Amino acid sequence: MGIVRLRTGQPAGPTLASYAATLDARRYACPADLDRRLDLLLDPVGPHRLLVVTGRAGSGKSAGLREAGRRGERSGRGVVALDARVDDVLARLEAVEGPGRVVMVDEVDALGPALAALVAAIARLPDDACVVLAARTLPARWLPDPFAALAVQVRLAGLTPAEADALLVRWGLDDPAARATLVAQAGGLPLALVLGARAWAAAAGAGDGDRDLAELVRSSGDELVAHLTDAALDRLDPDLLAVLVLAAGVDVPMLAALFPDRVEELVAALRETSVVEAVGHRLVLHPSLAGQLADRLRAEEPVRAAAAVLRVAEHEHARAVAGEAGALPRLAALVADPGIRAGLGPTTLSRHYADRWRASDAAVVRRELAVRHPGVWPVVAPWLGEGTRVVRRGDGRPVALVAALAMSAAEGITGPRRRLVAPVVEHARRAGGPDRAVLSAVQLTFDDVDEAEVVRVRNAAGLAQCGIGNPRSDHVNLVGDLAEERAVLEAYGYAEAVSLRREVDGVPVTTWVADVGPPGLAGLLHAAVVAEQGGPEVDLVAALEDYPAAGEPVQARVRARVAELLAAEPVLHDLVVRRYLTAGATHEAVMRATYLSRATYFRRLRRAREILAGPAGG
């Protein structure tokens, strides 16, 4: 499970959080190997400064990190707790100051090819800092010499029978026979033991102990975790569970939109579920279970799965349209077509990752450009610095870069950088204004040019850098008008704006444009999800009349298509939602709520129905 963030400044009196931490400390049985290595790590005169904890899911890695934090606090050290899934670990490590810090990083696997950069960031910490990392597995010889001499590693293979029994006692399981059964079947996995203790106590209270005993005896190791997980998740609303699994997590706005008037109830239910954890502002399933349950849901309940994906996609689409940049990649993750997902970044981590610009990059980039693209450096140099995103290999070497921004921000650019953006801004203004337009002032790949992943990582980094939740058009400058960059843009559907062909300091520059229309990129992604999950096309006008009686999959499809087709007409969209997609609505009630005259109301409604009945909606 993910780490519990430890705070150095707790309120004066006892709190529920401090009680929970105390309870966790009482129940935690630290494996002997880990116990010894924690003592070595925290010894002020000891030789070790880095502890690496690995092990399969459920083996107690995160619990070990929490114990490290508690020991660090007891010894008077400041504790910094990070989760690689949600924190910018490299930036946070650079900000660590003060003597004797204990720095803990959970889920290090999520860093993928940035692992080498993590090692470099750790090397820059104060020499009295102690670091604890947790991961399922790490590559062989990932720590370079002489840094490896400062590290000690422990793989949590499972608790011994005595340690497992002690853990169950701490969790209040007094029945020796029950403990013996769980110890024998759990394979030393703390997660299985804890879930087993809870399930056993619940079954005993319900008088079903014998039935559960038979189930447990037939299970072992990871199967036991799966069995007990099902028992824990069975208590959740089936529709909530489907959303939790397929959306890779939920937050309060999503719950409020998908399950109105039940937010507090559902948040409480999720927080009480053993295999649900808080990651940032979201509640997610334990990572070892999410993919497995998603596959099972799609196989066993395809209608429920499709409805859940459509509901989540509609919600994330609305958040992207409202300007939330983080909603766009979450929406893209719901698209089944790997080709579409790949346009926003790699679907699996491999050799490359995106990072900020560092001063040492200038020499490498300048040298590579001098060899591969002579004359380009003076044109792009003003754009290299803070705000530039760099694609790196796992060893940290830069191979590509992008400097992207919103078109509205490009209007205010002055100095040498203006030469690349001024004509594009003017072109965008003539084409209808810079709203929801983004601009890649510079994008270059100067190494690993044959690896498609580089372009995907660069695209995702540039899009995130712009900070626009639902861009409609993307403008890309090709400094040097390089043939390989042209080929990539043509493959993605960009067209050259021929009127913008120009030279800057004797270097040819072309500009390429992709415009996905009023629905924007979020609309494009949403339409892809709807096409994959929504079934056959529906007659939207007829479906509006039948909406209250339609099933959830059809309702979700109708909501999605209405939002897509009326994205450029927010007044008409609001009217259709009020009249047709809101339970119990009538013409008279909507007219009163919108303060419209009868003539204006029906004129607007007729116009909305004409759009929905057109070629795109019929």
Side-chain angles (χ1 to χ4, degrees):
M1 302 293 284
I3 60 175
V4 175
R5 297 180 181 278
L6 301 172
R7 302 177 184 177
T8 54
Q10 292 285 3
T15 65
L16 189 59
S18 63
Y19 173 73
T22 301
L23 190 61
D24 183 38
R26 286 179 192 161
R27 291 175 169 174
Y28 180 65
C30 188
D33 285 350
L34 179 59
D35 182 64
R36 288 193 300 271
R37 286 167 172 77
L38 283 176
D39 287 342
L40 289 172
L41 179 74
L42 298 174
D43 184 348
V45 297
H48 301 299
R49 289 292 177 267
L50 174 63
L51 171 62
V52 182
V53 184
T54 58
R56 55 180 173 155
S59 61
K61 301 183 298 296
S62 296
L65 260 66
R66 290 193 292 271
E67 176 65 12
R70 287 190 291 267
R71 294 189 186 192
E73 289 187 328
R74 287 198 297 268
S75 65
R77 295 170 176 263
V79 176
V80 178
L82 306 175
D83 187 320
R85 291 170 295 180
V86 293
D87 292 317
D88 186 343
V89 172
L90 303 182
R92 292 284 299 276
L93 288 177
E94 288 183 354
V96 172
E97 296 178 348
R101 298 292 183 186
V102 176
V103 179
M104 307 184 304
V105 186
D106 204 0
E107 301 289 348
V108 172
D109 312 66
L111 293 176
L115 189 60
L118 171 67
V119 176
I122 290 173
R124 291 191 290 268
L125 291 172
D127 61 4
D128 62 348
C130 296
V131 180
V132 188
L133 307 178
R136 295 190 197 183
T137 184
L138 290 169
R141 296 182 295 280
W142 67 282
L143 278 174
D145 293 328
F147 198 68
L150 301 176
V152 59
Q153 303 191 38
V154 57
R155 180 163 184 82
L156 297 178
L159 302 180
T160 67
E163 291 169 337
D165 188 72
L167 176 61
L168 293 174
V169 170
R170 284 181 169 85
W171 278 89
L173 191 56
D174 297 326
D175 184 342
R179 293 205 308 273
T181 299
L182 285 172
V183 168
Q185 305 303 326
L189 288 180
L191 178 61
L193 291 163
V194 170
L195 291 175
R198 293 182 180 181
W200 201 286
D208 292 333
D210 291 340
R211 179 178 57 80
D212 273 27
L213 173 60
E215 293 285 353
L216 292 171
V217 168
R218 287 195 294 268
S219 305
S220 63
D222 292 333
E223 294 177 354
L224 178 63
V225 176
H227 168 69
L228 295 172
T229 296
D230 285 343
L233 296 178
D234 280 347
R235 303 187 185 97
L236 296 179
D237 179 288
D239 290 330
L240 171 63
L241 179 58
V243 168
L244 180 70
V245 167
L246 297 167
V250 300
D251 58 11
V252 169
M254 180 182 290
L255 292 175
L258 272 54
F259 305 96
D261 304 321
R262 298 182 60 196
V263 175
E264 292 186 6
E265 167 203 343
L266 296 182
V267 168
L270 289 172
R271 290 192 179 279
E272 292 172 0
T273 302
S274 307
V275 289
V276 173
E277 57 182 317
V279 178
H281 298 295
R282 303 178 74 78
L283 293 168
V284 304
L285 274 178
H286 190 285
S288 65
L289 303 171
Q292 171 188 336
L293 292 178
D295 291 342
R296 193 169 75 188
L297 181 65
R298 293 188 185 100
E300 296 179 0
E301 297 187 76
V303 174
R304 188 188 298 278
V309 170
L310 287 169
R311 295 176 72 193
V312 173
E314 181 182 1
H315 172 72
E316 297 292 13
H317 174 254
R319 289 170 75 162
V321 169
E324 184 180 329
L328 204 58
R330 296 196 299 268
L331 179 59
L334 296 169
V335 180
D337 184 345
I340 294 177
R341 292 200 313 271
L344 291 176
T347 53
T348 57
L349 291 173
S350 183
R351 293 185 59 210
H352 302 92
Y353 66 98
D355 189 21
R356 65 178 180 82
W357 174 267
R358 301 179 186 277
S360 58
D361 293 333
V364 178
V365 174
R366 185 168 189 168
R367 183 169 60 251
E368 289 295 327
L369 292 183
V371 174
R372 297 173 182 271
H373 312 303
V376 167
W377 170 260
V379 180
V380 303
W383 284 91
L384 305 183
E386 185 177 354
T388 304
R389 297 293 288 172
V390 179
V391 180
R392 304 185 188 278
R393 289 181 194 155
D395 61 6
R397 179 180 174 81
V399 298
L401 58 86
V402 59
L405 68 167
M407 191 70 73
S408 56
E411 292 180 308
I413 295 293
T414 59
R417 296 193 303 165
R418 184 169 178 78
R419 297 178 300 170
L420 282 180
V421 300
V424 186
V425 170
E426 182 58 33
H427 178 272
R429 186 180 291 113
R430 291 196 305 269
D435 291 344
R436 292 174 53 213
V438 299
L439 167 62
S440 294
V442 172
Q443 68 173 41
L444 286 168
T445 298
F446 42 85
D447 206 347
D448 292 353
V449 294
D450 295 327
E451 298 195 38
E453 183 192 59
V454 174
V455 173
R456 296 167 185 168
V457 174
R458 190 186 67 186
N459 287 353
L463 182 61
Q465 188 179 22
C466 294
I468 294 184
N470 182 27
R472 168 177 175 162
S473 60
D474 183 21
H475 301 64
V476 177
N477 282 335
L478 293 190
V479 180
D481 192 29
L482 307 174
E484 61 268 26
E485 295 284 356
R486 274 179 167 260
V488 169
L489 290 174
E490 288 172 347
Y492 277 100
Y494 285 69
E496 184 189 356
V498 178
S499 63
L500 291 178
R501 289 183 182 176
R502 58 203 186 277
E503 287 192 354
V504 178
D505 290 347
V507 176
V509 178
T510 58
T511 299
W512 296 66
V513 182
D515 189 327
V516 295
L521 184 55
L524 184 70
L525 295 171
H526 189 217
V529 175
V530 170
E532 292 171 344
Q533 304 289 344
E537 291 290 337
V538 297
D539 182 337
L540 281 181
V541 174
L544 290 177
E545 300 293 348
D546 298 333
Y547 183 84
E552 175 55 36
V554 174
Q555 288 183 337
R557 176 61 188 257
V558 170
R559 290 194 301 267
R561 291 293 285 157
V562 167
E564 178 186 352
L565 295 175
L566 297 180
E569 300 279 359
V571 173
L572 300 184
H573 178 257
D574 177 69
L575 208 59
V576 170
V577 170
R578 287 174 180 269
R579 172 59 186 90
Y580 294 106
L581 308 186
T582 303
T586 64
H587 289 305
E588 297 297 331
V590 176
M591 275 189 280
R592 288 196 301 272
T594 54
Y595 302 101
L596 295 176
S597 68
R598 180 174 292 273
T600 300
Y601 170 79
F602 281 105
R603 183 174 65 252
R604 290 181 179 177
L605 206 58
R606 184 169 59 253
R607 171 59 183 153
R609 290 167 67 96
E610 289 172 354
I611 294 174
L612 298 176

